[in-house]
Amino acid sequence: MRILKIQTLRGPNYWSIRRHKLIVMRLDLENLAQTPSNEIPGFYEGLVEALPSLEGHYCSPGCRGGFLMRVKEGTMMGHIVEHVALELQELAGMHVGFGRTRETATPGIFQVVIEYLNEEAGRYAGRAAVRLCQSIVDRGRYPKAELEQDILDLKDLWRESSLGPSTEAIVKEAELRGIPWTQLSARFLIQLGYGVNQKRMQATMTNKTGILGVELACDKEATKRILAAAGAPVPKGTVINFLDDLEEAIEYVGGYPIVIKPSDGNHGRGITIDIRNWDEAEAAYEAARAISRSIIVERYYVGRDHRVLVIDGKVVAVAERVPAHVVGNGRSTISELIAETNKDPNRGEGHDKVLTKIELDRNSYQLLERQSYTINSVPPKGAICYLRATANLSTGGIAIDRTDEIHPENVWLAQRIVKIIGLDIAGLDIVTTDISRPLREMDGVVVEVNAAPGFRMHVAPSQGTPRNVAGAVLDMLFTNEQSSLIPILSVTGTNGKTTTTRLLAHIYKQTGKVVGYTTTDGTYIGDYLVESGDNTGPQSAHVILEDPTVEVAVLETARGGILRSGLGFANANVGVVLNVAADHLGIGDIDTIEQLANLKGVVAEAVFPDGYAVLNADDHRVAAMAEKTKANVAYFTMNPDSELVRKHVQKGGVAAVYENGYLSIVKGDWTHRIERAENIPLTMSGRAPFMIANALAASLAAFVQNVTIEQIRAGLKTFRASVSQTPGRMNLFNLGKYHALVDYAHNPASYQALGSFVRNWTTGECIGVVGGPGDRRDEDFVTLGKLSAEIFDYIIVKEDDDSRGRSRGSAADLIARGINQVNPNCRYESILDETAAINKALDMAPDNSLVVILPESVSRAIKLIKVRGLVKEEVQQQ
Ligand code: ATP
Ligand code: ATP
Ligand code: MG
Ligand code: MG
């Protein structure tokens, strides 16, 4: 077995609209191509021994053990690799369920599709599955140690990629709500939503969190002063910078017990509480000094530690934090009990799990001593032995939810305090003996206000109800799912994508909105180019969707990108499918036009149910996509008598129709005429039918997004596809006595489209300069010849400079064969050199004729034309 290629999909794709995270492995079974599993001696037994948990895979029999049954009866190795890859991820704690295996058109080569949670882990699992199966084929077994290592590696990949617990909670909630999120490439920034509607977060700070509030909260002394001035209960205390001042400070706070802490520490670092004598105070001072210059000396308040979380002015959760401790069982020593507690899989290092492992520090031994224990004591059964003085989760503490117990007056106080400090998300540390009674009565205090408070104690408390605090954050940032998004209009088809995308963007600009769009020529925002290049894949889509200035996204969505990585977004508001014609067949395991239609259909299927699939009613493969999409359907047609469209509008549907020389929107009984085709420059005075079709599609896509007829009209009339904007797309030049047209039509459907224009345009003679890239199939050249014979009066056959491996002259011969098949009397000649061929055509052009050039190099062809005294570029004219 050999892996030929591994691709990572990240959006709606050919295999699934709903499952966005898939690995596609192209697998050559080599010598196993003819051997189902039942014919490999010992394979079934070896597999069951290596991975007994495969028993849980139902597979097609639909019951436990179903998949193993298939292995026993005989199934192909690709299918087994799929299940093993899924199971390996499962064993590493990643729950994935989706897989598919298909044989490609090349016998023995399979596509194995598996779901992943983490990309790298998914690819690893694919490779490991192949290794595992190969080993069982070769040796009858897969070593246990290897499997354990695989699972450890997978767990590592999973952990390394995981976000912090607070961020994790927020993005999970965002996913549930259909709010898209991405991790930006720096500073752990998370972006939620798209375009102008996006919001940003970093841990639990939002782009609304004010810097003044954060800085104030980080300065514990300043916070206390402001709160004290407002009459809020804060610990009595003072700040010192020298050890010499410690004695006086202790006296000022009323003597022992006291607390000493750094003035700008966090996570309990450098803080000592319940200090009862001078020696302890001195040591505590040194410990705090290691963190901060200024040292806070405070009265120690007896009570339990609470964290009150306030989001958007409201208390959303309250947790009591209990310091790290163990409970005696009458047999084990304290150090054994700690080791036992730390075995809890929920305890990790730092903040990566729900809880943190218990570690002892300087204070722990003091604390043990006060409880008359040492690390080797055996506490009696049920006795609680505290190991840390402060209750921070990061020092091994646990959390108990108390949200339902807090007294309303404390709620009011907490909310008021957070307003005073000026934070949108804050965590208050409150020490009181009973949170269900007013602080005032209990002599409770607000010890600190935290900016960027952690969520894990609320989301996953050790006891009590988990609280959806991430939901409160999203409620604050977005009024609803829609308010996080911007309209996305995605355009696909075999021909006309770039033209339609540009036109649609231009029409949308008439609304005054900032439109971001991607095309084969580049990525644009408003009137400016962001980046040139073939930008029709998901990465370019992301540039637009992540841009904070963009209000509307119009995305050319080409087959290559969908196939390689899936769509760059989960849902579009409008998905336009222009046409499906034979092109690029045989590439990427898309071998038939039906498969190509399924691939392009992804654009129609990934539309929101309340959005629109804009479909070409005149192309039966496109029209059939109406069956698959959950969205509303809108049709465009060049045929005013289209039965399909007539029925559709009768049922209240909307359509764009070319009728009586007009581009019109038809809805119910009404026909809204937008404009005469003649007056739309793109349609070449109404003579290029395929451009009329593109214009209908763009108009309809805009219309279903509530762009007005007036705005659509204005857009259609002012859009000009000039050479500078769209080189090689129907560039027509007036050379005085005759015209020349340069177009980069590159498949039979586009030659045909071109032909329909040529016949409409001129009554004079028509000369074609034709040829195509050498890597096309033989039959494509013959087709080109046939079509040329139908379109042109005189044909000059040329070849590309780069013959792409084809022998010189052979493409021209194939074209000539096609010409002869259609019209043995057709006048033609072969001039293989493109420059010479173009020059010959221009030299011989009679008056009123049209020279149509399908060049390899568009810029060279245009240069050759321009030196002949260009009168004007025709498309500039109306
Ligand atoms: P974190 O960042 O995790 O909130 P921190 O390092 O900022 O911790 P504080 O919140 O000031 O430190 O104190 C940590 C804990 O110590 C408090 O939650 C509280 O349990 C206890 N504590 C601090 N000051 C006092 C005090 N004056 N009286 C009683 N307990 C206190
Ligand atoms: P690519 O796949 O190269 O990105 P595209 O789909 O973006 O192509 P355009 O760049 O808009 O297509 O047009 C390329 C050529 O296809 C045009 O010059 C024209 O010859 C032809 N064409 C444009 N629209 C259509 C159409 N609706 N039907 C058939 N052919 C068309
Ligand atoms: Mg604190
Ligand atoms: Mg294009």
Side-chain angles (χ1 to χ4, degrees), residues 494-499 520 556 579 690 694 729 743 746 750 753:
T494 299
N495 291 306
K497 296 181 292 299
T498 301
T499 311
T520 345
E556 175 174 350
N579 42 53
F690 61 96
N694 294 342
R729 311 278 156 63
D743 189 82
H746 51 276
S750 53

Side-chain angles (χ1 to χ4, degrees), residues 220 235 259 261 265-269 271 273 298-301 305 307 321 390 392 429 431 447-448 450:
K220 288 185 188 183
V259 169
K261 56 181 154 183
N266 55 26
H267 300 326
R269 274 191 293 263
I271 149 162
I273 66 173
E298 270 175 10
R299 200 190 118 191
Y300 172 66
Y301 291 79
D305 186 288
R307 171 58 68 84
R321 299 188 292 180
T390 59
N392 309 69
D429 289 338
V431 173
V447 170
E448 187 197 17
N450 293 280

Side-chain angles (χ1 to χ4, degrees), residues 204 297 361:
T204 62
V297 179
D361 74 345

Side-chain angles (χ1 to χ4, degrees), residues 56 84 103 120 136 167 213 228 263 277 305 315 353 394 448 468 539 555 565 611 650 663 682 795 854 872 875:
V84 170
E103 186 160 21
E120 281 182 61
I136 298 175
T167 309
S263 76
N277 56 52
D305 186 288
V315 168
K353 288 268 179 73
S394 50
E448 187 197 17
N468 183 9
Q539 266 163 357
L555 308 171
S565 348
Q650 260 173 10
L663 280 74
L682 180 71
I795 302 166
L854 306 179
K872 61 172 156 319
V875 274

